[in-house]
Amino acid sequence: MSLVRPSGRAAGQLRPVSLQRGFTRHAEGSVLVSFGDTRVLCTASVENKVPAFLRGKGEGWVTAEYGMLPRATHTRSDREAARGKQGGRTLEIQRLIGRSLRACVDRAALGERTITLDCDVLQADGGTRTAAITGAYVALVDAVAPLLARGELKRNPVFGAVAAVSVGIYQGVPVLDLDYAEDSACDTDMNVVMNDGGGFIELQGTAEGHAFRRDELDALLALAEQGCAALFAAQREALAQA
Amino acid sequence: MSLVRPSGRAAGQLRPVSLQRGFTRHAEGSVLVSFGDTRVLCTASVENKVPAFLRGKGEGWVTAEYGMLPRATHTRSDREAARGKQGGRTLEIQRLIGRSLRACVDRAALGERTITLDCDVLQADGGTRTAAITGAYVALVDAVAPLLARGELKRNPVFGAVAAVSVGIYQGVPVLDLDYAEDSACDTDMNVVMNDGGGFIELQGTAEGHAFRRDELDALLALAEQGCAALFAAQREALAQA
Amino acid sequence: MSLVRPSGRAAGQLRPVSLQRGFTRHAEGSVLVSFGDTRVLCTASVENKVPAFLRGKGEGWVTAEYGMLPRATHTRSDREAARGKQGGRTLEIQRLIGRSLRACVDRAALGERTITLDCDVLQADGGTRTAAITGAYVALVDAVAPLLARGELKRNPVFGAVAAVSVGIYQGVPVLDLDYAEDSACDTDMNVVMNDGGGFIELQGTAEGHAFRRDELDALLALAEQGCAALFAAQREALAQA
Amino acid sequence: MSLVRPSGRAAGQLRPVSLQRGFTRHAEGSVLVSFGDTRVLCTASVENKVPAFLRGKGEGWVTAEYGMLPRATHTRSDREAARGKQGGRTLEIQRLIGRSLRACVDRAALGERTITLDCDVLQADGGTRTAAITGAYVALVDAVAPLLARGELKRNPVFGAVAAVSVGIYQGVPVLDLDYAEDSACDTDMNVVMNDGGGFIELQGTAEGHAFRRDELDALLALAEQGCAALFAAQREALAQA
Amino acid sequence: MSLVRPSGRAAGQLRPVSLQRGFTRHAEGSVLVSFGDTRVLCTASVENKVPAFLRGKGEGWVTAEYGMLPRATHTRSDREAARGKQGGRTLEIQRLIGRSLRACVDRAALGERTITLDCDVLQADGGTRTAAITGAYVALVDAVAPLLARGELKRNPVFGAVAAVSVGIYQGVPVLDLDYAEDSACDTDMNVVMNDGGGFIELQGTAEGHAFRRDELDALLALAEQGCAALFAAQREALAQA
Amino acid sequence: MSLVRPSGRAAGQLRPVSLQRGFTRHAEGSVLVSFGDTRVLCTASVENKVPAFLRGKGEGWVTAEYGMLPRATHTRSDREAARGKQGGRTLEIQRLIGRSLRACVDRAALGERTITLDCDVLQADGGTRTAAITGAYVALVDAVAPLLARGELKRNPVFGAVAAVSVGIYQGVPVLDLDYAEDSACDTDMNVVMNDGGGFIELQGTAEGHAFRRDELDALLALAEQGCAALFAAQREALAQA
């Protein structure tokens, strides 16, 4: 088959991934994640309090917020703070990020703390939510480390790793890690969040146009597994640095 | 295996499904859908206008709104109109319903019309979004029929059928169509939207607790296919009545 | 006089009234009230807390919220939750329902509990607020009964009964219980809330067009007294059923 | 009977009424109305446009907005602009003022103009809505006069006059024009809006505590007729000045 | 130079200033301040509580809110309460007023009390924020006086005095206390808040058009010092009255 | 005098300034400005439309929006989009940025275009608004350049340059370019916006604590002039690069 992706990538090829730790100073964890031209700043903030529904239960909470700078995109979009509300897409994405990261946290081990993962898109080129999840994991690990080092946490509340990637059918071919040019031209795509034990944490497949056949779905899942494996390696490599 | 579901159902058994057409008078389509104790009023409203981004393009639009009456649930929840905004869960569900129904509509054939599917939950017992999609399809067909009969539409903009069902892992066993008792006890579930050609339109699987293994995912997809088949039959039967 | 009302009713004739108890499962009281084609779901929810201004005073509170499903009406109206606020008409009606029901409740006997009456219009054909008040009374009685039966309340906080009906001048003739066709054609109407001791709890008469003469007002009040008497009978009959 | 009202007034006695025209410079009509210590600034603003639902129909519109300065009352209340919404009481009152004034305006004669009546309470001592209606009428007449003088209006769109007063049962006795001390001690009161032809435009009677008997209602209506007659005289006198 | 200001004033001449104390009854301090045709009602309300960030610290708080009646201006502006938010200009002004008045209050001496200065513009003709600051100071002193007289405060928390005036370059000439005609024709102006010790509390100079040269700035500051001196005299005179 | 600033800088010394052009891809101008540890991403977006009040006048508009990422600061602050409104500080700053940049733009030369300057703080250490203005100028020039190059603009709408710096009294000594440690310890500071002709565009001096004496003000203005001169040089240097 002679698919030519707009970026020239092979069907199963990720964009260049980078995870730059310590991008800003104040946050307990701060990672600039890039999936190609998609760049998301992920910070992890630790606070010694929990939401009302958890008070007094000895458990912690992990939550996420997502935003996109107005000119992260080709044309300027309205600033959500100015419009006075977060849109449905934003809420959906930040709920997804929060659920995904909670899937690798033992909230009892965390104790009555909240870790907030702020994922702000500086530049968008498709796949902002999967980049955000992948980067937020690294920021989370960085935020927890000093608590462990200082003995404030008895055991590590983070178990395993979490990463995410998109897959989709582009011009009839299953491809990995869609960029904007592919994303806007293909109406069948899926975001897959996995843990490093090979388990699926979230699947969000959408087909406004062409419905997935079962065999296509299988091919997409295989690509996603392969993509996440590469992302877990990138996370490990980033975290191995001082 | 000797799984006993709280309702006594077999693992692959749907709750009793009913689709009561013409439940209210004013809407072009009005269906009260029940999946067991879950009851959702789905109305389809036709308006001869389209959102700004479609004006003058000769295409129509299909959109959805979702609401839950404050006391549809075991304990009263706040009225979203009184709080001044729709929550993230509401927005996520109504976006899902809208995308799902657009997947069976030829918007060029619809012309510059908008069909709004209002899905209001009168009583909740798990699976409100899947019931809503399944019922909204019937309301949509009812709303389009008189336009065809009067010749206002040249050809039927609705092609195929759309239905949805939830599946999940309950006490280690894949089960179909979770009710509230199961939903709140299991942390791995998936909503599956299909068309009657066997294609997947939406997959939304979430595992805050136990991550899906690939074989579990396969079992869940098989259950969903079987459940949707039964729902397509129920839709056809309902629509066959005068 | 040869008045012909659009519905063919006599000037002093109510529409068929029905009060269907136990319409939904979860609420402590749940009544589907119909005044002809107007159908309102009234639920009563009991919570063991009171608003801040009553805390520690040993008194309870009764309040109401009102909503209309977007397609309860001939043409679809915006969803208030989506617009981000309740309109003036909604607030006015729910304040009226709350005041009306508080007029038959001994709040000291209720203790530090709040009963919220949610009145949601499923189908509108004029008179939604009067139907709501009439139905909410029955839901209120149903919500209180088990508290009395279980001995959680020492004495019944509900005294007497409350019902409501509209009256107006249609084509020069005073008529009872206006439906939508009459309501939109007549610009003089009044909502009357009474107790079963013959007292007036609320009068809200509005004449944007023709101002009421005093003799017209007297005729309208007489019709309202007669209509409320019939509604009290319907409430008693509904409550007499198991 | 030896009723002593807190103010020493007789049961049927209004508070001193004043209607100060031209209180501010910019508005087409600007009246500071006082009912005793209740002082409301009523301005009428004329704009050559109408709301969307009236465009192109050749008719005008009259609407009202109501506000209360935060410290118009004994204790400071929150500023509605700061809270981000107008409360239910505010919306209810401004809808009442608007309907009341529309009852004396021939909207076809007004042409495609909107007159907005802003009623802002500088100091509150009960009866702010009735004072507002009574004062807004004078501001309305003042705003229309130059349009007539300049020939921009062919005929006077204002016909008759509109005034309003409150009545209530205080310590068992029907009284006219309740001040704050009476209003807060009596739970049965009614706002009555009349025209100078003796017709009733609005009746809003509320009895959270003691329900009105029919004979009490008759006594209250008689007081209101007498009070409005005095207010019409005050309006005529104010308007007779240069 | 033969500058003719629209009002005929000399370049360094204030408009007539009046400070009418006790303008309304309920507030602890209530001053109607006029700078020519600009009229602002300033009330000071004392409450025995402080914002959350100050609780338990033994300090008080002074804050301000600002509003403009919709028809205070030549053309009607939207009511902020109806639009659902305060505009940027309003927030900016009320923050300025709050900071300015806090500059003359010893918050430890005030104890755990909040004084809210509500500044509502009844009529606008330029300089509403400077009039508001000048009037609010007098209201503040009036609100504190009875606390001192009753011994609730041990020492006077108000030290010195605060007043404000605008200056600007009109037709090339530095002028004092701009009215609307000047303000809208000149694009260089500055609001200056001073204390009576000759210190500058706030400077807010804006030049959308012609940038200030340093010598112009010096001239403007000199005019402002002279204007504030006259305003301090007016405050003292007003406060000297019974 | 032996002042030691927390950073060890001399009283009149700026922090290291950098202006990194082309920081993101999509915006017409995109500059990451750093004043020491304060880092603000300034993008300039060009749109071929103007706000309603300018339509058809042949003039353009320049406006600004400001935001701070939740964890740009030492402790996490709420996301304004999630709270549903921009705070007073944000509105005040973005209005300041907008006015400042309009001071160097010939809006007639710009034609019916809007340039929006989005200034988003990635990391805050004092002086975010002055950094934003200084960086936004460079982004503005970059956004205009291709319009000139392509001949879409006949003449350059940007004249001169605009930069801003803060000054304040720290431990009794006037200092330039306050960082967070100084800003939070000193209660007298001023933001100064200048053009490269030596004119003052905005002065915003605030003294909640110690009021400025006139001689202190003169010293601060001299420091600001010197600081802005250095910033103009930095802008020129940055713009001189390819």
Side-chain angles (χ1 to χ4, degrees):
Chain A
M1 192 183 315
S2 61
L3 167 76
V4 179
R5 299 179 70 174
S7 58
R9 282 185 284 152
Q13 190 180 352
L14 290 175
R15 290 174 285 180
V17 172
S18 102
L19 292 154
Q20 184 178 348
R21 290 163 65 207
F23 186 73
T24 55
R25 303 174 60 102
H26 301 310
E28 284 73 34
S30 174
V31 172
L32 183 73
V33 57
S34 306
F35 278 22
D37 275 343
T38 289
R39 286 157 61 187
V40 185
L41 174 53
C42 307
T43 60
S45 298
V46 182
E47 291 169 298
N48 289 321
K49 62 180 186 188
V50 287
F53 71 92
L54 283 178
R55 256 169 233 153
K57 301 197 176 165
E59 284 178 41
W61 189 239
V62 173
T63 187
E65 294 195 0
Y66 172 91
M68 174 114 62
L69 295 195
R71 196 55 198 282
T73 43
H74 286 80
T75 55
R76 187 177 184 274
S77 45
D78 287 346
R79 186 176 290 268
E80 290 187 323
R83 274 192 310 177
K85 64 174 178 178
Q86 295 178 294
R89 179 183 171 279
T90 293
L91 292 172
E92 202 169 305
I93 293 176
Q94 69 189 19
R95 285 159 56 92
L96 170 67
I97 301 171
R99 284 196 309 270
S100 298
L101 275 297
R102 281 194 293 277
C104 71
V105 173
D106 174 346
R107 286 166 33 209
L110 182 57
E112 295 218 348
R113 288 176 183 82
T114 294
I115 300 184
T116 303
L117 301 159
D118 285 291
C119 300
D120 287 274
V121 180
L122 303 189
Q123 189 171 279
D125 188 38
T128 63
R129 78 190 75 187
T130 53
I133 291 167
T134 304
Y137 171 75
V138 177
L140 173 67
V141 171
D142 274 344
V144 164
L147 297 174
L148 284 165
R150 293 195 301 262
E152 295 177 32
L153 291 175
K154 299 261 167 59
R155 63 183 197 277
N156 193 343
V158 180
F159 55 89
V162 167
V165 76
S166 69
V167 287
I169 313 282
Y170 176 72
Q171 298 190 351
V173 180
V175 296
L176 177 66
D177 187 24
L178 292 83
D179 57 29
Y180 178 78
E182 293 166 330
D183 199 20
S184 53
C186 98
D187 47 17
T188 305
D189 69 285
M190 184 157 60
N191 292 294
V192 180
V193 186
M194 298 190 71
N195 65 24
D196 59 353
F200 294 93
I201 290 172
E202 291 271 341
L203 290 183
Q204 295 199 340
T206 289
E208 280 210 36
H210 166 73
F212 300 98
R213 294 187 317 267
R214 181 57 205 269
D215 63 316
E216 289 170 332
L217 181 54
D218 289 344
L220 291 174
L221 291 169
L223 278 179
E225 287 178 293
Q226 163 196 333
C228 284
L231 294 170
F232 291 124
Q235 289 175 334
R236 279 189 301 266
E237 186 180 353
L239 286 166
Q241 290 163 353
Chain B
M1 194 182 316
S2 62
L3 167 78
V4 178
R5 301 178 69 174
S7 58
R9 282 185 284 152
Q13 191 180 350
L14 289 176
R15 290 174 285 179
V17 172
S18 102
L19 291 153
Q20 184 178 344
R21 291 163 63 206
F23 185 73
T24 55
R25 301 174 62 103
H26 301 310
E28 284 72 34
S30 174
V31 172
L32 183 72
V33 58
S34 306
F35 278 22
D37 276 342
T38 289
R39 286 156 61 188
V40 184
L41 174 53
C42 307
T43 60
S45 298
V46 182
E47 291 169 297
N48 289 320
K49 62 179 184 190
V50 287
F53 71 92
L54 283 178
R55 256 169 233 153
K57 301 197 175 166
E59 285 179 39
W61 189 239
V62 174
T63 188
E65 294 195 1
Y66 173 91
M68 174 117 56
L69 295 194
R71 197 54 198 282
T73 44
H74 285 81
T75 55
R76 187 176 185 276
S77 44
D78 288 345
R79 186 177 291 267
E80 289 188 323
R83 274 192 309 176
K85 63 174 179 179
Q86 296 178 294
R89 179 184 172 277
T90 294
L91 292 172
E92 200 169 306
I93 293 176
Q94 71 190 17
R95 284 159 55 92
L96 170 66
I97 301 171
R99 284 196 309 269
S100 298
L101 274 297
R102 279 194 295 276
C104 70
V105 172
D106 173 347
R107 286 165 35 210
L110 183 56
E112 295 219 348
R113 289 175 183 82
T114 295
I115 301 185
T116 303
L117 300 159
D118 284 290
C119 299
D120 286 274
V121 180
L122 303 188
Q123 190 171 275
D125 188 39
T128 62
R129 78 190 74 186
T130 53
I133 290 167
T134 305
Y137 171 75
V138 178
L140 173 68
V141 172
D142 275 346
V144 164
L147 297 175
L148 283 164
R150 292 195 301 261
E152 295 178 32
L153 290 175
K154 298 260 167 60
R155 64 182 197 276
N156 194 343
V158 181
F159 55 88
V162 167
V165 76
S166 70
V167 286
I169 312 282
Y170 177 72
Q171 299 191 348
V173 181
V175 296
L176 178 66
D177 187 24
L178 292 85
D179 57 29
Y180 178 78
E182 292 166 330
D183 199 20
S184 53
C186 98
D187 46 19
T188 304
D189 69 284
M190 184 157 59
N191 293 294
V192 180
V193 186
M194 298 188 72
N195 66 24
D196 60 351
F200 294 93
I201 290 171
E202 289 270 341
L203 289 183
Q204 294 199 339
T206 288
E208 279 210 37
H210 165 73
F212 300 98
R213 293 188 315 267
R214 180 58 204 270
D215 63 316
E216 289 171 331
L217 182 55
D218 289 343
L220 292 174
L221 290 169
L223 278 179
E225 287 177 294
Q226 163 194 333
C228 285
L231 293 170
F232 290 124
Q235 288 175 335
R236 280 189 300 267
E237 186 179 352
L239 286 166
Q241 289 163 354
Chain C
M1 194 184 317
S2 61
L3 167 77
V4 178
R5 301 178 69 173
S7 59
R9 282 185 284 151
Q13 191 180 350
L14 289 176
R15 289 173 286 179
V17 171
S18 103
L19 292 153
Q20 185 178 344
R21 291 163 63 205
F23 185 73
T24 55
R25 300 175 63 103
H26 300 309
E28 283 73 34
S30 174
V31 173
L32 183 72
V33 57
S34 306
F35 278 22
D37 275 343
T38 288
R39 286 156 62 187
V40 185
L41 174 53
C42 306
T43 60
S45 298
V46 181
E47 291 169 298
N48 289 321
K49 62 179 185 188
V50 288
F53 71 92
L54 283 178
R55 256 169 233 153
K57 300 198 175 165
E59 285 177 40
W61 188 240
V62 174
T63 187
E65 293 194 1
Y66 172 92
M68 174 114 62
L69 296 193
R71 197 53 198 282
T73 43
H74 286 80
T75 55
R76 187 176 184 276
S77 44
D78 287 345
R79 187 177 289 268
E80 290 187 323
R83 275 192 310 177
K85 64 175 179 177
Q86 296 178 294
R89 179 183 171 277
T90 293
L91 291 173
E92 201 168 305
I93 293 176
Q94 70 189 18
R95 285 158 56 92
L96 171 65
I97 300 171
R99 285 196 309 270
S100 296
L101 273 298
R102 281 194 294 276
C104 71
V105 172
D106 174 347
R107 285 165 35 209
L110 182 57
E112 294 218 349
R113 288 175 183 83
T114 295
I115 301 184
T116 303
L117 300 159
D118 284 291
C119 299
D120 286 274
V121 179
L122 304 188
Q123 189 171 277
D125 188 39
T128 63
R129 77 189 76 187
T130 53
I133 291 167
T134 304
Y137 171 76
V138 177
L140 173 68
V141 171
D142 274 345
V144 163
L147 297 174
L148 283 165
R150 293 195 300 262
E152 295 177 32
L153 290 176
K154 297 260 165 60
R155 63 182 198 278
N156 194 343
V158 180
F159 56 89
V162 166
V165 76
S166 71
V167 287
I169 312 281
Y170 177 72
Q171 298 191 350
V173 180
V175 296
L176 178 66
D177 187 24
L178 290 84
D179 56 29
Y180 177 78
E182 292 166 330
D183 200 20
S184 52
C186 97
D187 46 18
T188 305
D189 69 285
M190 184 157 60
N191 292 294
V192 180
V193 186
M194 298 190 71
N195 65 24
D196 61 351
F200 293 93
I201 289 172
E202 288 272 343
L203 289 183
Q204 294 198 340
T206 289
E208 278 209 38
H210 164 73
F212 300 97
R213 291 187 318 267
R214 179 60 204 267
D215 62 316
E216 289 171 332
L217 181 54
D218 289 344
L220 291 173
L221 290 169
L223 278 177
E225 287 176 294
Q226 164 195 330
C228 284
L231 294 170
F232 290 123
Q235 289 175 334
R236 278 190 301 267
E237 187 179 352
L239 286 166
Q241 290 163 354
Chain D
M1 192 182 316
S2 60
L3 166 77
V4 178
R5 301 178 70 174
S7 59
R9 282 185 284 151
Q13 191 180 351
L14 290 175
R15 290 175 284 179
V17 172
S18 101
L19 292 154
Q20 184 177 344
R21 291 162 64 205
F23 185 72
T24 55
R25 303 173 62 102
H26 301 310
E28 283 73 35
S30 174
V31 172
L32 182 73
V33 57
S34 306
F35 277 23
D37 275 343
T38 289
R39 286 156 61 187
V40 185
L41 173 53
C42 306
T43 59
S45 298
V46 182
E47 290 169 297
N48 289 321
K49 62 181 185 188
V50 287
F53 71 92
L54 283 179
R55 254 167 235 153
K57 300 198 176 166
E59 285 178 40
W61 188 240
V62 174
T63 187
E65 294 194 1
Y66 173 91
M68 174 118 57
L69 296 193
R71 198 55 199 283
T73 43
H74 286 80
T75 55
R76 187 175 184 276
S77 43
D78 288 345
R79 186 177 291 267
E80 290 187 321
R83 275 192 310 178
K85 65 174 177 178
Q86 296 179 294
R89 178 183 172 277
T90 294
L91 291 172
E92 201 169 305
I93 292 176
Q94 71 189 18
R95 285 160 55 93
L96 170 66
I97 301 171
R99 285 196 308 271
S100 297
L101 274 298
R102 281 194 294 275
C104 71
V105 172
D106 174 346
R107 285 166 34 209
L110 182 57
E112 294 219 350
R113 288 175 184 84
T114 295
I115 300 185
T116 302
L117 300 158
D118 284 290
C119 300
D120 286 275
V121 179
L122 304 189
Q123 188 171 278
D125 188 39
T128 63
R129 79 190 73 186
T130 53
I133 291 167
T134 305
Y137 171 76
V138 177
L140 173 68
V141 171
D142 274 345
V144 165
L147 298 174
L148 284 165
R150 293 195 300 261
E152 294 176 31
L153 290 175
K154 298 260 167 59
R155 63 182 197 278
N156 194 343
V158 181
F159 56 88
V162 166
V165 77
S166 70
V167 287
I169 313 282
Y170 176 72
Q171 299 192 348
V173 180
V175 296
L176 178 66
D177 187 23
L178 291 83
D179 56 30
Y180 178 78
E182 292 166 331
D183 200 19
S184 53
C186 99
D187 47 19
T188 304
D189 70 285
M190 184 157 59
N191 292 294
V192 181
V193 186
M194 298 190 71
N195 66 24
D196 61 350
F200 293 92
I201 290 172
E202 289 271 342
L203 289 183
Q204 294 199 340
T206 289
E208 279 209 36
H210 164 74
F212 300 97
R213 294 188 316 268
R214 179 59 203 269
D215 62 316
E216 289 171 332
L217 182 55
D218 289 345
L220 291 173
L221 291 169
L223 278 178
E225 288 176 294
Q226 164 195 332
C228 284
L231 293 170
F232 291 124
Q235 288 174 335
R236 279 190 300 267
E237 187 180 351
L239 286 166
Q241 290 163 354
Chain E
M1 193 184 315
S2 62
L3 167 77
V4 178
R5 301 178 69 175
S7 58
R9 281 186 283 153
Q13 190 180 352
L14 290 175
R15 290 175 284 180
V17 172
S18 102
L19 291 154
Q20 184 178 346
R21 290 163 63 206
F23 186 72
T24 55
R25 301 174 63 103
H26 300 309
E28 284 71 35
S30 174
V31 171
L32 183 72
V33 58
S34 306
F35 278 22
D37 275 343
T38 288
R39 285 155 63 185
V40 185
L41 174 53
C42 306
T43 60
S45 298
V46 181
E47 291 169 297
N48 289 321
K49 61 180 185 189
V50 287
F53 71 93
L54 282 178
R55 258 170 231 153
K57 301 198 176 165
E59 284 178 40
W61 189 238
V62 174
T63 187
E65 293 194 0
Y66 173 91
M68 174 114 62
L69 296 194
R71 197 53 198 283
T73 43
H74 286 81
T75 56
R76 187 176 184 276
S77 45
D78 288 345
R79 186 176 291 268
E80 290 188 322
R83 275 191 310 176
K85 64 175 178 178
Q86 295 179 295
R89 180 184 171 276
T90 293
L91 292 173
E92 201 169 304
I93 293 176
Q94 69 189 18
R95 286 159 55 91
L96 170 66
I97 301 172
R99 285 196 309 269
S100 297
L101 274 296
R102 281 195 293 277
C104 71
V105 172
D106 174 347
R107 286 166 35 210
L110 182 56
E112 293 218 348
R113 288 176 183 83
T114 295
I115 300 185
T116 304
L117 300 160
D118 286 291
C119 300
D120 287 273
V121 179
L122 305 188
Q123 189 172 277
D125 187 38
T128 63
R129 78 190 73 186
T130 52
I133 290 167
T134 305
Y137 171 75
V138 177
L140 172 68
V141 171
D142 275 345
V144 164
L147 298 174
L148 283 166
R150 292 195 300 262
E152 295 177 32
L153 290 176
K154 299 259 167 60
R155 64 182 196 279
N156 194 343
V158 181
F159 56 87
V162 166
V165 76
S166 70
V167 286
I169 312 281
Y170 177 72
Q171 299 191 349
V173 179
V175 296
L176 178 66
D177 187 24
L178 291 84
D179 56 29
Y180 178 78
E182 292 166 330
D183 200 20
S184 53
C186 98
D187 47 17
T188 305
D189 70 283
M190 183 158 59
N191 292 294
V192 180
V193 185
M194 298 189 73
N195 66 24
D196 60 351
F200 294 92
I201 291 172
E202 290 271 341
L203 288 184
Q204 294 199 340
T206 289
E208 279 208 37
H210 165 72
F212 300 97
R213 292 187 317 267
R214 180 60 205 268
D215 63 315
E216 288 170 334
L217 181 54
D218 289 343
L220 291 173
L221 291 169
L223 278 178
E225 288 178 293
Q226 164 195 332
C228 284
L231 293 170
F232 290 123
Q235 289 175 334
R236 278 190 301 268
E237 186 180 353
L239 286 165
Q241 289 163 355
Chain F
M1 193 183 316
S2 62
L3 166 79
V4 179
R5 301 178 69 173
S7 58
R9 281 185 284 152
Q13 191 180 352
L14 289 176
R15 290 175 285 180
V17 172
S18 100
L19 291 154
Q20 185 177 345
R21 290 163 64 205
F23 185 73
T24 56
R25 301 174 62 100
H26 301 310
E28 283 73 34
S30 174
V31 172
L32 182 73
V33 58
S34 307
F35 278 22
D37 276 342
T38 288
R39 286 156 61 185
V40 185
L41 174 53
C42 307
T43 60
S45 298
V46 181
E47 291 169 297
N48 289 319
K49 61 182 184 187
V50 287
F53 70 92
L54 282 179
R55 255 169 234 152
K57 300 197 176 167
E59 284 178 39
W61 188 239
V62 174
T63 186
E65 294 195 0
Y66 173 92
M68 174 115 60
L69 296 194
R71 197 54 199 282
T73 44
H74 287 79
T75 55
R76 187 177 184 275
S77 45
D78 288 346
R79 188 177 288 269
E80 290 188 322
R83 274 191 310 177
K85 64 174 178 177
Q86 296 178 294
R89 179 183 172 278
T90 294
L91 292 173
E92 201 168 305
I93 292 176
Q94 71 189 18
R95 286 158 55 91
L96 170 66
I97 301 172
R99 284 196 309 270
S100 297
L101 274 297
R102 281 194 293 277
C104 69
V105 173
D106 173 346
R107 287 166 33 211
L110 183 57
E112 295 218 348
R113 288 175 183 83
T114 295
I115 300 185
T116 303
L117 301 160
D118 285 291
C119 300
D120 287 272
V121 180
L122 304 189
Q123 188 172 279
D125 188 39
T128 63
R129 79 190 72 186
T130 53
I133 290 167
T134 305
Y137 171 76
V138 177
L140 172 68
V141 171
D142 274 345
V144 164
L147 298 174
L148 283 166
R150 292 195 300 262
E152 294 177 33
L153 290 176
K154 298 260 167 58
R155 64 182 195 279
N156 194 342
V158 180
F159 55 88
V162 166
V165 76
S166 70
V167 286
I169 312 281
Y170 176 72
Q171 298 192 348
V173 180
V175 296
L176 178 66
D177 187 23
L178 292 82
D179 57 30
Y180 178 77
E182 292 166 331
D183 199 19
S184 53
C186 98
D187 45 20
T188 304
D189 68 284
M190 184 157 60
N191 293 294
V192 180
V193 186
M194 298 189 71
N195 66 23
D196 60 351
F200 294 92
I201 290 171
E202 289 271 341
L203 289 184
Q204 295 198 339
T206 289
E208 280 209 36
H210 165 75
F212 301 97
R213 292 188 316 268
R214 180 58 204 269
D215 62 315
E216 289 171 332
L217 181 54
D218 289 343
L220 292 173
L221 290 169
L223 279 177
E225 288 177 293
Q226 163 195 334
C228 284
L231 294 170
F232 291 124
Q235 289 175 334
R236 278 190 301 266
E237 186 180 353
L239 286 166
Q241 289 163 355

